[in-house]
Amino acid sequence: MRIHRLEMQAFGPFADRQVIDFDQLGEHGLFLLNGPTGAGKTSVLDAICFALYGAVPGARQQARRLRSDHADPQTAPEIVCEFSSGTRRFEVVRSPQWERPAKRAGGRSTVTEQAKTLLREYVDGAWVEKSSRNDEASTEITELLGMNREQFTRVVMLPQGDFAAFLRADAASREQLLQQLFGTSRFEDIERQLKLDLAEATERFDAAQARSEHVLRRADDEIRRYRTEQGAESGDSPAPGSGQDSPAADRPEEEIAVFRAELDSRAAGARKELDELGTERERAERKLHELEHRRARGLALQQLIRDENEHRRAEAEIAPRRAALQVHAAAAAVEGPVRAADAAAQRTETRRTAAAAALTELTEHALAEEYLSSPELPEGLEALIGADLAAATAALEDEKRIGELRVLARDEETAAAGLRERAEAAAARLEALRAEETSLAGAAAELERLAADQERAGSDVARAEELAAAMAAYASAREHAEAADAAAAEARQEYQDLREAWQDLLQARLDQAAAELAAGLAEDAPCPVCGGVEHPHPATLGDGEAAVTREEEQAAKAEAGRAEEAFEAARREAGAAAEEAAGLRARGGDGDPGLAAEQLAAARAELERARSAAGALLETRHRLEGIGEELAATEAGRSQALIQAAQADSRAESARAQAADLEAKVGAALHGFAGAGERVEALTQFRRLAAAAREARAAADAAGEELDRLLRELDTALAGTGFASAADVRKALLDPETRDAYDHSVQEWEETGRRLALRREGQDASAPEDQDTGSSAVPDEEDIAEAAEQAAAARKEQEDAALLVRLLDGSAVRLSEYSAELAAALEETAPLRARRDLLQSVTDTVRGAGENTYKMTLSTYVLAARLEQVAAAATERLAAMTGGRYALVHSDSKSGNRKAGLGLHVTDEWTGQRRDTSTLSGGESFMASLALALGLADVVQQEAGGVNIETLFVDEGFGSLDDQSLEQVMDALEGLRDGGRVVGLVSHVGEMKQRIPAQLQILKGRNGSTIRYSLGEAVLR
């Protein structure tokens, strides 16, 4: 992944659009990103991260305020980043969420602009849009780069400060940071899942164990219950705790089997006894049934004889009713024609009466004289009335229209008068507006002349204010610069003295190295340099020369380092103060303050006059525009009112003429009525009466014809029936209640006869059976009761025996079920116990307990492996930076009772000793942490799929190095450029500026920061 171009607008400290061409910087391979504190070095890295992933690194994302406060309120924040991945080239444009001043509210409120994204790819010489959604673009870029945001900030942007803290941290803090870097949450999930699986396995095992114990308790209860009942029957009571109390604890299956055999033997005896009692019960019940049957037949015969005698006595009463029903049936055959003729005669009389009444009502109507010449109804009367009714209805509509036309004429006359009044008012308003327009046009010319000097007056005020401010600040800035310069000179002298003293001690220690080695030689012991066992001329110190220890040399070096830092701080402060004083002087800071104050007051007064005139001019122009619009609208309204008034007069005249024509037409259609409504009502009523009279006469004629037809049919029906007239038929007919009563009594008597005949047949058929029993006497109730008692006693004995058999069989079935359940429970418990034990062992191991001697959890073990990889990769870098002296090694040893696995030590090849990383000096710590950061980048890059990183940034920290160490670090960083990689170093150390010609300089100011390129002596804006 290579970054080619970055553009920033209204982002962080950058107000105006800034463009960074990384391809131009990449020609040198190594470039420096420098600038004063707070200028915006980190914001450049934030912009790259935000463009790619829509968020900035680390805690800065929590601020949620990315837009620059220096930018114009209307300027939208925007980041443009052009990058390539492999052979594909992309451009992403992002804008974070920001608050824009509302246009309608005059800037007094804001409107939230949502975040926007556009991802494009360069294909065949043109940019092709890939996505415009924030989340979708971030996902696609993550897939392209093979890294998420966290991995990108660890691999591409090396936060050296984080690794310096990591280098010195204890195991717990180191574990927390490694978890953030490598994301080992999945292994912690495995630990939690194993714990959950163990809990589940334990719960399932306990449940299975509880089920087997429950089965044993139920079997025990069944055995206790049976033996208690048997003991109660035999008078014995088994002692608690004896061998017969419960299944044996060690072999419960065998005890249950023995008891089942005992139950089977007892059940077989009970079933044999049950069969014998069943035979005795059948014999007693058969005797009871025979006695009950003989008594029932005897009593039934006696009752049959009594019922037959009663039936014969009732026959005399039934005979007349049967005869009356026969005559009624003959009359019912001709009842229909009789009743039809009677109904027709009644209808004919009713309809003739109605027809006479309808004709009388018609002839008494007020219009009868106009339409009727005789009492009879003429043909076509309804049609004649309908034609006159249509004419009267039309006249009624015309009457309504006449009223509407008269109202319309009055309304139009009123409207015309109002429109003429409005036209007169508009004419007066036009005259007033023209006068006001002439007056304002003259005033506007004078105001325009006064407001023309506003821009010039504003510039004069700004220059005067700037000059006054420069004069006010110049004196103090000059004093500060002189004091800072003197302090820098003193700090430089002290640094040079201390550095020279340290170098003298270092040289002396190097010169004394031979004497130091010689002091440790022993007779016949090999020399650590040449290996010889003879030492003819061992080196010695000069006369009066004292040995220089390593502690003295290191202390002198530390003092020189602190002096160097103090000198650099004083030099930066002196440079900044001198630059500030020179700038103020160039802006006129050494001029006359009194004259500048007078010029400022005059410029402000002139500006105030111009602003007042400009405000008045703006109001005047607005009013002139309003007058022009009002003149046009008023003139148009006046013309429109006059036109509408003329149109209203024309419509009123037309309405009056139409009303006069309709009045003449209506008068001819009234025929003496006061109004058309009365005429319509009278015709409507008369036509209804005429139709009713004609319908009534037709109905009476039809009824008479039907009556004649039915009388002829009645005569035909009576022939041959034995009835002389309809009156005879009506006399023979029975009313429904009487007929139903006769019919019911006859059928009931006949049904009783049939039942008696069947009963007699049954008695005759059973007579031979009574002869077979040898006794014809009817048993009494005492015989029946005695036989019933004997049958009940036999039945009770059999039921008790059956209950015992069922109880024994039930106990046997339950014990069989308990045996099967116990076997299944024991079979289920064995694998569950094995699984629980296995999970317990694995869980203890991954949680650092049990046989885990290192007390190392699974996640810690994974992090330890990652840390070992990081240490190996970092050692390659650190060896190059320290001339092969130092190496980082991973340690999994324990410290006391603490967990092992995340130890980190440094090996010193000069001494051959391994020591803690916290013993490294400041410069050595920087080199170790930088090597650690680069090593971590290599490991994370490998985890990301071997992505080729062609652009790399290394953060601050070079100020703690001496010249030799800095040279070694620079050589190592130079090696990062292999393969065309571009490396950016973030630093404000002065010596870095001298060593790296290609620089990206961040300049900060009151109106925001700007960016410029520096290529050696040349500076490219």
Side-chain angles (χ1 to χ4, degrees), residues 871-893:
T875 296
E876 296 180 9
R877 311 287 188 186
L878 184 58
M881 296 180 190
T882 62
R885 178 180 179 183
Y886 290 116
L888 290 173
V889 293
H890 161 252
S891 173
D892 57 3
S893 61

Side-chain angles (χ1 to χ4, degrees), residues 841-888:
S841 177
V842 174
T843 303
D844 290 343
T845 301
V846 300
R847 295 175 62 190
E851 298 179 0
N852 190 334
T853 57
Y854 283 97
K855 304 302 180 182
M856 189 187 303
T857 65
L858 176 61
S859 58
T860 305
Y861 174 78
V862 174
L863 292 177
R866 293 290 186 267
L867 183 58
E868 187 173 7
Q869 294 175 336
V870 172
T875 296
E876 296 180 9
R877 311 287 188 186
L878 184 58
M881 296 180 190
T882 62
R885 178 180 179 183
Y886 290 116
L888 290 173

Side-chain angles (χ1 to χ4, degrees), residues 201 203-212 820-835:
E203 183 179 356
R204 293 180 61 187
F205 170 74
D206 292 342
Q209 186 74 10
R211 285 194 294 273
S212 64
E821 291 178 11
L822 181 60
L826 294 175
E827 183 179 357
E828 179 186 7
T829 305
L832 291 177
R833 177 186 286 108
R835 173 174 170 76

Side-chain angles (χ1 to χ4, degrees), residues 187-338:
F187 299 103
E188 295 172 358
D189 293 341
I190 292 175
E191 295 175 13
R192 285 191 291 271
Q193 186 60 46
L194 283 172
K195 183 178 179 181
L196 294 176
D197 292 346
L198 173 60
E200 180 187 3
T202 302
E203 183 179 356
R204 293 180 61 187
F205 170 74
D206 292 342
Q209 186 74 10
R211 285 194 294 273
S212 64
E213 293 176 356
H214 179 64
V215 173
L216 284 174
R217 286 195 298 272
R218 290 162 61 190
D220 180 51
D221 292 342
E222 184 65 25
I223 294 174
R224 287 175 179 273
R225 183 183 64 78
Y226 172 76
R227 287 178 172 165
T228 300
E229 292 176 355
Q230 291 298 104
E233 292 178 1
S234 62
D236 298 330
S237 178
S242 65
Q244 295 181 338
D245 273 340
S246 61
D250 52 348
R251 301 297 298 273
E253 302 94 334
E254 296 180 1
E255 178 68 16
I256 293 176
V258 170
F259 183 67
R260 285 181 58 194
E262 180 183 345
L263 282 177
D264 292 341
S265 176
R266 180 71 181 85
R271 277 192 290 272
K272 180 178 180 182
E273 182 180 359
L274 177 63
D275 293 340
E276 296 174 353
L277 290 174
T279 302
E280 182 65 25
R281 173 187 172 181
E282 291 177 358
R283 186 183 302 110
E285 289 181 345
R286 186 164 51 251
K287 178 180 179 181
L288 172 64
H289 180 69
E290 290 175 356
L291 292 175
E292 290 177 341
H293 186 62
R294 285 174 53 199
R295 176 172 174 78
R297 283 200 303 272
L299 295 177
L301 178 60
Q302 295 174 2
Q303 183 63 38
L304 174 61
I305 295 172
R306 290 194 295 270
D307 291 342
E308 287 176 342
N309 294 332
E310 182 66 23
H311 185 260
R312 283 192 292 271
R313 287 194 297 271
E315 184 177 4
E317 183 180 352
I318 293 301
R321 296 186 178 183
R322 183 186 290 120
L325 286 173
Q326 292 174 352
V327 175
H328 171 78
V334 292
E335 181 182 8
V338 173

